[in-house]
Amino acid sequence: MPDTSSGEPAVPAPATVPVAEEPRGCLFALSQPPLMIFLAVIGGLLLLAAVHDLFLL
């Protein structure tokens, strides 16, 4: 096996790029459409159950 330890490395190291993004928190999660649709469906079911209990029972 040839010696590859001398000279240039076979794969160059990735350049370090400063990360300018802020950490993503709860507001980012709530801005996602699938999550908002899921929460709307669950809220609608709870509202439907509450209206059923209050007015139909």
Side-chain angles (χ1 to χ4, degrees):
M1 179 180 275
D3 183 20
T4 59
S5 62
S6 62
E8 293 291 323
V11 178
T16 56
V17 178
V19 178
E21 293 183 15
E22 296 181 7
R24 294 178 174 175
C26 184
L27 291 178
F28 175 77
L30 285 178
S31 69
Q32 302 304 309
L35 177 63
M36 292 306 294
I37 292 170
F38 172 75
L39 292 177
V41 168
I42 297 300
L45 290 174
L46 288 173
L47 180 66
L48 185 65
V51 167
H52 178 267
D53 286 346
L54 287 174
F55 296 116
L56 299 176
L57 291 180

